[in-house]
Amino acid sequence: INLFGVSKGGDVCLALAAFLGEKIGGTVAVSSACASMPGPTYYKGNEVVKGTKFTLEKERPFAPDIDPEVVLSESERHVPVERAKGPVLYIYGREDKVFDGDNPLVQYVQQKAFEAGKMDFQIQTYEGLGHLLDVPNTPVCTEAMNPLVPFVVKYGGKIQEHSLAQIDAWPRL
């Protein structure tokens, strides 16, 4: 079984890969926080990843309630991607308005995976890609309602570059 998830779905896929081991072949996470938001992650009734709450602000609706440096320093808030048995591809865009185009936790998690001997954690970045990655040749979604917040979320993305990123990314999956 291979997994693909965008945003919170990416967090869920990374957690499944980390805790289900050999049952998961490969994982693709797009614009994932690599952390458990808004609450903890449980596996078999046990809390395995401490939750990171976020603030509901219109400009950055999923900004962590605590300083990003604290999130980086508290490994119990990170999904333990280094435990995944299969390869991991993490995709994100520089025009992502949810994570301000960059998520320092991704590089931290990759470094942690490499230190644990997991060399098949790859990061693919696209300059004009926003937060979402849809199938090629479909309209680019730069803003929409989100079930977690009561307002329209600006996901970002430059139309042409985002479209080209979608075309380039899908064969890599």
Side-chain angles (χ1 to χ4, degrees), residues 58-153:
K58 283 197 173 196
E59 292 306 312
R60 249 185 101 217
F62 303 106
D65 255 352
I66 58 177
D67 187 303
E69 293 301 316
V70 173
V71 176
L72 281 171
S73 67
E74 295 181 354
S75 62
E76 65 271 11
R77 294 185 188 277
H78 312 156
V79 176
V81 177
E82 67 275 9
R83 293 179 52 175
K85 301 296 182 203
V88 175
L89 172 60
Y90 185 94
I91 298 173
Y92 74 95
R94 295 273 184 209
E95 292 297 318
D96 186 338
K97 299 303 180 200
V98 175
F99 291 125
D100 288 338
D102 201 7
N103 181 355
L105 189 53
V106 176
Q107 281 78 22
Y108 175 81
V109 168
Q110 182 187 42
Q111 176 187 343
K112 197 170 154 188
F114 285 170
E115 288 170 0
K118 180 166 189 53
M119 305 312 283
D120 54 359
F121 185 108
Q122 179 185 358
I123 297 175
Q124 177 66 48
T125 308
Y126 291 100
E127 289 302 320
L129 181 65
H131 188 69
L132 305 176
L133 179 75
D134 293 309
V135 294
N137 306 312
T138 59
V140 172
C141 179
T142 59
E143 60 181 51
M145 291 299 293
N146 183 295
L148 296 176
V149 294
F151 48 81
V152 172
V153 174

